[in-house]
Amino acid sequence: MMQRFIPVVLASIASFTLTDSQAISQNKPTCQRTTQNFLVFGGGGAPSYNEIALEKNMLYFQRSLKELGYSTSDAPIYFANGNTGEKTVRYLDEKGDQQFKAHTVPNVQGASSIANLQTWMAQAAKEKTATPLFFYFSGHGGHNRVNEDNSSLLMWRDRELSVQNFTAMLDRLPQNKPFVTMMSQCYSGSFANLIYNGGDPNKGIALQTRCGFFATIKSRPSVGCTPEVNEADYRDYSSSFFAGLTGRDRIGRKVASADYNKDGRISYSEAHAYAKIDKFTTDLPVSTSEAWLQRQVNNPTMREQILGQTIAPLAKIARPEQRFVIESLSRQFKFDLNRSLNGNLRSLNPELVKTAEDEAYLVRLSMELTNVAMERRVRTSKNARSIQTLDRLIRCEAGSWGKS
């Protein structure tokens, strides 16, 4: 088991390469304003893969809005076929047979088409307001095997919207309008590149403040798109992220608080940390700052040095939400914090790592330790541009839906 696992860890970390040292704007990020705009796109690109779980994600998002004092009318939703009344939502009935029905999502403005997204973004670009925009996408993703930095969203009628084409829309938004996204589709980590001009890591950091949270890294599919009806059985990043953000899961139960820094509000980054330990899935959640940090792990020697560092000192310098992830996952595998990850792996009880989900949790731990180690490396580098980039991303990710 351990011989099979260690290459999995290294391969996951190795998927992030390329150092970025581009300059960014001196503007202070404003992701923590007390007002918030929302935009939601969801659904499959065709009835054959427009699963009922995607419809239920829209409904859970609306319940999450209400939980934090917003109205469902505050968030325009574009879902699958829109308001045509067609039976496009795929589900399994009590006998396990495939059926189709019309969606029941309130406040749907139209289809989840590229044209509708372009129209909405064009209008937002004209408003010239500094109100932050939170964009939620719950659907499917296309994998660009030639260039994993430019994968795609699958929009209605099987249209693909690439990272670079999506980011071109963001490039036209007002420079002082922060943008935050949460995406749960397969290969969603590719969209961490929206922090760059045109979505291209070779073109430098965009002047507009942008950040995001993604169900998994750019090279991996995600879980959660199911035609099963019972929400109590759902295991996916959306479920965990919004449970952490609001304090209630998708069937209304209260969950443990994700206020890890005890400041009285739940930030996006804290909800993201909650999602990393909440559900037993194979996802490898990642944020923009984490993707940026791990992209700079550019050689095997650096990776080995990180995985060979004692865990306890890294946990001590970690931010509260990072410490929560490190300590929680270390407890899960009965790791000794006074040893390195590699040292713990050599003596790990094989009974604790029986499934692909178990292995994913170990990869999550390796990624979290890498995030902390690389953040320390950036901060001690005295590279002002890199430090500024990191600070700006972290501040954006520390925003929230809080109204006060």
Side-chain angles (χ1 to χ4, degrees):
M1 174 61 68
M2 295 317 304
Q3 290 179 343
R4 180 162 63 94
F5 165 67
I6 292 176
V8 173
V9 177
L10 297 179
S12 296
I13 297 177
S15 67
F16 298 95
T17 57
L18 182 66
T19 301
D20 175 81
S21 60
Q22 301 295 326
I24 66 170
S25 168
Q26 296 292 329
N27 293 343
K28 292 182 179 180
T30 55
C31 285
Q32 297 184 36
R33 291 178 179 269
T34 57
T35 56
Q36 184 79 52
N37 284 342
F38 299 95
L39 177 63
V40 181
F41 272 66
S48 61
Y49 60 104
N50 185 31
E51 295 87 358
I52 195 170
L54 301 175
E55 177 193 33
K56 289 180 179 288
N57 282 350
M58 302 294 100
L59 297 170
Y60 182 35
F61 178 85
Q62 292 180 326
R63 295 196 298 275
S64 297
L65 286 176
K66 291 180 179 178
E67 190 67 34
L68 294 183
Y70 291 93
S71 166
T72 57
S73 62
D74 290 331
I77 292 179
Y78 294 81
F79 180 75
N81 58 297
N83 296 316
T84 66
E86 298 171 84
K87 295 181 178 180
T88 63
V89 177
R90 186 172 76 95
Y91 71 99
L92 300 181
D93 63 18
E94 293 179 353
K95 297 180 180 180
D97 294 329
Q98 177 177 271
Q99 304 289 345
F100 291 88
K101 72 177 192 71
H103 78 76
T104 59
V105 182
N107 199 42
V108 168
Q109 306 297 300
S112 59
S113 65
I114 294 177
N116 280 338
L117 181 58
Q118 289 172 326
T119 298
W120 198 97
M121 288 291 191
Q123 185 60 43
K126 295 177 182 178
E127 293 174 355
K128 306 300 181 183
T129 67
T131 305
L133 172 62
F134 185 95
F135 176 78
Y136 172 42
F137 181 83
S138 179
H140 293 274
H143 188 199
N144 185 340
R145 290 180 172 82
V146 176
N147 179 10
E148 288 186 327
D149 283 325
N150 193 34
S151 288
S152 58
L153 305 176
L154 298 182
M155 311 293 276
W156 185 241
R157 299 197 184 283
D158 295 319
R159 295 285 306 281
E160 292 194 33
L161 179 62
S162 71
V163 171
Q164 292 181 9
N165 288 336
F166 176 77
T167 308
M169 300 183 199
L170 302 185
D171 288 342
R172 292 191 285 269
L173 292 175
Q175 183 179 320
N176 65 341
K177 186 178 186 64
F179 176 87
V180 183
T181 186
M182 194 276 269
M183 296 183 175
S184 59
Q185 77 276 10
C186 294
Y187 316 108
S188 52
S190 182
F191 280 79
N193 291 314
L194 59 79
I195 65 174
Y196 303 103
N197 290 308
D200 185 345
N202 297 312
K203 292 184 178 179
I205 300 292
L207 296 179
Q208 179 198 22
T209 295
R210 303 172 187 162
C211 62
F213 303 88
F214 311 94
T216 195
I217 59 175
K218 63 186 179 181
S219 59
R220 293 277 292 267
S222 62
V223 301
C225 294
T226 175
E228 298 285 348
V229 174
N230 187 2
E231 286 191 71
D233 295 332
Y234 287 7
R235 301 288 184 271
D236 64 283
Y237 181 73
S238 285
S239 298
S240 299
F241 184 92
F242 289 126
L245 195 64
T246 67
R248 289 194 181 276
D249 69 14
R250 65 187 308 143
I251 59 174
R253 298 173 300 194
K254 292 193 68 174
V255 301
S257 173
D259 184 13
Y260 304 122
N261 66 1
K262 309 298 182 185
D263 69 349
R265 71 181 182 93
I266 310 299
S267 68
Y268 303 130
S269 54
E270 288 173 322
H272 178 61
Y274 179 92
K276 292 177 182 179
I277 60 89
D278 180 39
K279 299 295 185 183
F280 199 59
T281 76
T282 56
D283 287 343
L284 302 177
V286 68
S287 72
T288 40
S289 68
E290 294 164 353
W292 182 84
L293 285 167
Q294 295 187 46
R295 186 178 284 276
Q296 298 178 71
V297 183
N298 51 19
N299 63 74
T301 300
M302 186 181 295
R303 289 195 296 273
E304 280 301 306
Q305 289 174 344
I306 291 170
L307 299 181
Q309 293 181 42
T310 304
I311 295 174
L314 290 174
K316 184 176 181 179
I317 64 172
R319 284 175 272 118
E321 68 273 15
Q322 295 174 312
R323 188 177 308 119
F324 165 76
V325 173
I326 291 170
E327 292 178 350
S328 296
L329 294 180
S330 294
R331 270 196 308 274
Q332 179 173 331
F333 295 102
K334 304 184 187 312
F335 283 170
D336 180 355
L337 298 185
N338 292 313
R339 300 178 67 190
S340 68
L341 175 62
N342 280 343
N344 277 290
L345 290 176
R346 284 191 287 270
S347 58
L348 176 61
N349 181 353
E351 291 299 308
L352 297 176
V353 190
K354 291 183 174 181
T355 67
E357 288 81 7
D358 292 323
E359 291 187 353
Y361 273 88
L362 285 169
V363 176
R364 292 183 192 186
L365 177 57
S366 73
M367 291 171 65
E368 202 69 24
L369 293 169
T370 300
N371 299 336
V372 175
M374 290 306 298
E375 180 171 344
R376 178 174 62 182
R377 184 181 292 263
V378 168
R379 295 198 183 285
T380 58
S381 70
K382 298 183 180 180
N383 184 322
R385 291 178 176 178
S386 293
I387 294 171
Q388 186 186 30
T389 298
L390 179 61
D391 284 343
R392 188 175 179 189
L393 291 172
I394 289 174
R395 285 197 296 267
C396 180
E397 293 173 2
S400 75
W401 283 5
K403 286 188 167 186
S404 61

